[in-house]
Amino acid sequence: MIEIKDKKNCCGCSACYSICPKNCIEMKADREGFLYPKINKDLCINCGLCENVCPIINKVEEKVFEQEGYLVQNKDEKIRKESTSGGAFSAIAKYALDRKGVVFGVQYDENLNVIHSYIENESDLNLYRNSKYVQSRIGETFKQAKNFLDKDRWVCFSGTACQIEGLKKYLKKDYNKLITVDVVCRAVPSPLLWKKYVAYQKSKYGDDIKNILFRDKAFYGYNHSQISIQLSNGEKVYHNGLESDPMLRAMFLNICHRPSCYDNCVFKKQYRISDFTIWDCFVANKFTENLDDKGTTRVLIHTKKGIKIFNDIKNKVNYERIDINSLTKDVKELNTSVEMNYKRIDFVRDLQVLNGDELFNKYFRETLKIKIERTIRRLSAKLGIYSFIRCIYNKLK
Ligand SMILES: Cc1cc2nc3c(=O)[nH]c(=O)nc-3n(C[C@H](O)[C@H](O)[C@H](O)COP(=O)(O)OP(=O)(O)OC[C@H]3O[C@@H](n4cnc5c(N)ncnc54)[C@H](O)[C@@H]3O)c2cc1C
Ligand code: SF4
Ligand code: SF4
Ligand code: SF4
């Protein structure tokens, strides 16, 4: 039976929970808010299935094989605007939906918890667009995906690399109609931190927050996307970027990630078992003049199935084929784990006792410099000269 002696050795994928024939594994949050399997030993029959499906105990050896690489922009501008980068995920997901299939992805529930779920209609795909930089709860989705596959339905499953490896271990066999898409992840921040962040924003903007967009491009464009808060009436009321938003600062300071994300994440590698790996490209113009700067997804295709699917969706996207070495050059998040911030121990201790306001004031107090920068950014965006000012600032820097 699974026993977690070192938290670094559990990525929280829930494969063990999903496979247990006695339902004696519960995924329980620890004091940092991350889920770990907890076994009811009275019910366990020692069948060993949980250990057999664990993607950390049973590491997939990285093997070099032929890949294809692309820069992708969804032709539907509304979709691209709603997406984190170029909207490649929506184009891939549509392939399954067009075949009466099912798409699994990450959305907010009614309390803004970050959860995996599935949809069957294209009109619901927007729930999954825009990355949520928090570890998602897999819940029952591995079992649901297997159910659909066993009924010969197309299934497109998206998630972090560890979630995709966990799913594949749980499924045990290849399914022709399964499409897997992993997002390159720097790391995943704590759901408890997210809870405190949501409460902190609700204390400022009220309870009717409908959506929190981690990467809203609407105000400063793709290259300086920032968190926006959308109220029930559609109004957006908060637009802070990574220099001042506490959630983004915590993420980029590596102060509150899951322990398995630090130092030696076994899922970070170029040759993966998913069909597609997708991530950002902020420098599309360095590769080609044919793509604009409004959002581009880098797409790395690992399988023949992936190549076939991409050929089928090419008419839905603008794309440029890119040599693999160029596509992956200097992309640290693909292969390298983040280093733990030395303040993490203090931060997660305080996370357990302080409310969001107290926590963020202690660790991410806004300096005068940050306030001045933000005012200049807002003013220049209102005057329509933000890109120009940014270009000058970057040159001076
Ligand atoms: C936690 C996390 C960290 C990331 N870190 C980086 C990074 O360091 N560098 C980089 O270049 N790109 C990173 N990405 C990927 C990037 O944010 C985009 O997902 C990617 O560019 C695809 O964009 P798109 O426009 O094609 O997809 P979109 O239409 O924006 O779709 C988003 C996709 O991400 C999935 N997703 C959303 N939130 C989560 C979550 N919490 N866990 C698992 N899956 C989720 C959705 O199901 C969907 O498949 C990260 C994504 C996540 C979720
Ligand atoms: S050994 Fe078998 S019964 Fe026990 S927890 Fe693991 S999967 Fe469940
Ligand atoms: S299967 Fe996943 S959740 Fe279970 S112990 Fe292994 S890594 Fe953790
Ligand atoms: S960094 Fe590694 S362990 Fe963390 S979410 Fe990404 S794939 Fe999983």
Side-chain angles (χ1 to χ4, degrees), residues 56-70:
I56 291 194
I57 295 177
N58 310 281
K59 290 186 190 67
V60 175
E61 216 181 294
E62 189 176 10
K63 283 189 195 129
V64 176
F65 47 77
E66 223 168 283
Q67 298 172 310
E68 284 192 10
Y70 293 88

Side-chain angles (χ1 to χ4, degrees), residues 1-2 16-17 19-25 38-41 43-51 53:
M1 117 190 60
I2 286 279
C16 54
Y17 160 81
I19 200 86
C20 177
K22 289 286 166 191
N23 291 324
C24 60
I25 302 183
K38 185 166 181 266
I39 295 170
N40 180 339
K41 290 184 179 155
L43 296 178
C44 172
I45 53 168
N46 269 316
C47 66
L49 286 175
C50 50
E51 284 161 288
V53 295

Side-chain angles (χ1 to χ4, degrees), residues 127-310:
L127 294 172
Y128 299 156
R129 289 198 269 272
N130 220 285
S131 295
K132 291 95 188 155
Y133 294 142
V134 180
Q135 183 159 43
S136 69
R137 179 184 279 264
I138 287 287
E140 304 305 306
T141 53
F142 283 8
K143 296 182 209 175
Q144 290 161 341
K146 182 173 180 335
N147 250 327
F148 286 122
L149 289 164
D150 287 339
K151 288 181 183 144
D152 203 30
R153 300 267 304 266
W154 278 92
V155 168
C156 172
F157 200 105
S158 62
T160 55
C162 55
Q163 291 171 332
I164 299 298
E165 285 206 17
L167 170 73
K168 289 238 174 180
K169 289 272 184 241
Y170 162 75
L171 290 174
K172 287 192 194 131
K173 63 170 188 173
D174 278 338
Y175 287 84
N176 287 336
K177 292 188 177 172
L178 171 66
I179 308 164
T180 47
V181 183
D182 75 67
V183 290
V184 163
C185 49
R186 175 190 184 83
V188 281
S190 145
L192 177 59
L193 173 66
W194 174 242
K195 219 177 197 135
K196 300 231 164 167
Y197 177 83
V198 171
Y200 159 80
Q201 294 294 17
K202 282 189 174 171
S203 72
K204 291 200 290 178
Y205 295 108
D207 274 341
D208 72 336
I209 294 179
K210 189 183 132 206
N211 195 5
I212 301 184
L213 297 157
F214 268 89
R215 296 277 303 274
D216 193 359
K217 303 168 183 164
F219 295 86
Y220 308 116
Y222 173 54
N223 283 334
H224 194 77
S225 49
Q226 29 71 64
I227 291 204
S228 275
I229 291 182
Q230 195 168 26
L231 304 178
S232 305
N233 63 7
E235 190 194 351
K236 288 184 183 168
V237 288
Y238 171 91
H239 318 289
N240 285 6
L242 74 92
E243 71 292 330
S244 60
D245 176 81
M247 195 65 207
L248 290 179
R249 289 191 73 189
M251 165 113 176
F252 285 93
L253 287 171
N254 303 323
I255 206 165
C256 62
H257 300 314
R258 191 174 178 100
S260 58
C261 301
Y262 290 108
D263 302 329
N264 197 16
C265 160
V266 297
F267 307 99
K268 287 196 178 257
K269 53 196 168 193
Q270 179 173 331
Y271 297 90
R272 302 189 176 196
I273 59 168
S274 54
D275 297 300
F276 298 93
T277 296
I278 56 175
W279 74 102
D280 279 282
C281 180
F282 296 106
V283 288
N285 56 357
K286 278 198 181 157
F287 290 99
T288 170
E289 286 176 358
N290 300 332
L291 299 174
D292 63 27
D293 61 359
K294 291 185 195 156
T296 308
T297 315
R298 292 188 212 219
V299 178
L300 183 57
I301 312 181
H302 306 284
T303 60
K304 288 202 173 79
K305 190 200 295 176
I307 291 169
K308 189 191 164 303
I309 291 168
F310 192 73

Side-chain angles (χ1 to χ4, degrees), residues 2 4 9-17 27 35-37 50 53-57 166 258 267:
I2 286 279
I4 314 291
N9 292 330
C10 173
C11 63
C13 71
S14 297
C16 54
Y17 160 81
M27 293 302 290
L35 299 181
Y36 291 89
C50 50
V53 295
C54 176
I56 291 194
I57 295 177
R258 191 174 178 100
F267 307 99

